[in-house]
Amino acid sequence: MELKEKITGLIITFNEEKNIQEIIDNFSICDEIIVVDSFSSDQTVEIAKQNLKVKVIQHRFEDFTKQRNIALDAATNDWVLFLDGDERIPTDLQKEIIAELNKSDKKEAYYFYRKFYFAGKPIHFSGTQNDKNFRLFRRSKCRYVADKKVHETLIVKGTTGILKNKLLHYSFDNFEQFKKKMLYYGLLKGSELADKGKKYSIITHWSKVAFKFVKTYFLKLGFLDGFDGLKISYLQSLYVNETYRKLKNSK
């Protein structure tokens, strides 16, 4: 099926040499691809530049939201498909994207549900069962909220839809990689709270850490994922702990 709309593929990168070519291949329906790279020290940029449809912009990393909005501003098409380096579009989802964009009554933005993989194994619970993000949208109607350093939030002026087929999310290869990322995200979130004038409270700190574990492992059925569910629940609570540790030290 031929896509009637022109679309720009967007990705932000840092040291993604193992993923960059595959993710560029996933943008096969796009006539333009923008890579916003925060000065990778590996071969990410060199590999990306070997692809004719790719434009590389290097910008010092400040936070995820700023990098994403830089990518949006660089696109020449109104419709954009925004992917992370660890996400893949299966064939059925690509067909659904084309079919949706060929409709006359399109929405302004579309959520994609994601199928989460940890160390190559599918995770069915632990909060991942409801995981969805905006990945396809009109940039003239959408913008990432400027004051979010992590867990970026897209504001949509108009209607939204949800695609049925899931995006594959190969998030972490191993425990240590997952842990490193959660600690980093916690630092960014803590800085965000400090910038907003949030005051540190030891009661809030530890109650939120405990609740995050309980929520992920019990309320979100993490125990049904076995030992992987336990590890994910621990790391989610570690993220919250690092958030409030950073906030405490920002006083």
Side-chain angles (χ1 to χ4, degrees), residues 44-151:
T44 299
V45 171
E46 288 76 8
I47 295 170
K49 286 182 175 179
Q50 293 174 7
N51 297 267
L52 295 178
K53 293 193 292 185
V54 172
K55 176 183 178 182
V56 176
I57 299 170
Q58 289 194 289
H59 185 272
R60 182 178 64 84
F61 184 86
E62 297 177 61
D63 59 58
F64 289 104
T65 294
K66 285 179 180 163
Q67 296 296 94
R68 286 183 178 271
N69 281 332
I70 287 169
L72 284 183
D73 291 338
T76 59
N77 297 317
D78 193 25
W79 279 102
V80 298
L81 176 62
F82 218 133
L83 297 178
D84 290 342
D86 54 11
E87 295 175 337
R88 301 291 181 267
I89 299 175
T91 302
D92 288 346
L93 177 56
Q94 179 171 297
K95 290 179 180 177
E96 187 179 4
I97 292 170
I98 295 171
E100 196 65 35
L101 289 185
N102 284 345
K103 291 180 179 179
S104 58
D105 57 342
K106 294 183 282 292
K107 310 294 186 184
E108 268 66 58
Y110 293 90
Y111 281 108
F112 287 14
Y113 278 108
R114 299 192 295 179
K115 179 63 181 174
F116 189 90
Y117 289 82
F118 176 42
K121 294 162 48 179
I123 300 297
H124 303 290
F125 301 99
S126 304
T128 68
Q129 58 268 50
N130 299 315
D131 179 38
K132 68 181 188 297
N133 294 91
F134 285 117
R135 287 293 182 257
L136 179 69
F137 52 90
R138 291 178 59 191
R139 67 189 185 97
S140 62
K141 299 292 184 179
C142 304
R143 191 77 177 174
Y144 289 99
V145 177
D147 63 353
K148 299 276 286 186
K149 293 180 181 293
V150 67
H151 303 310

Side-chain angles (χ1 to χ4, degrees), residues 28-43:
S28 60
I29 62 173
C30 303
D31 66 294
E32 172 187 60
I33 302 169
I34 306 294
V35 176
V36 176
D37 180 79
S38 48
F39 294 95
S40 291
S41 58
D42 63 4
Q43 296 297 306

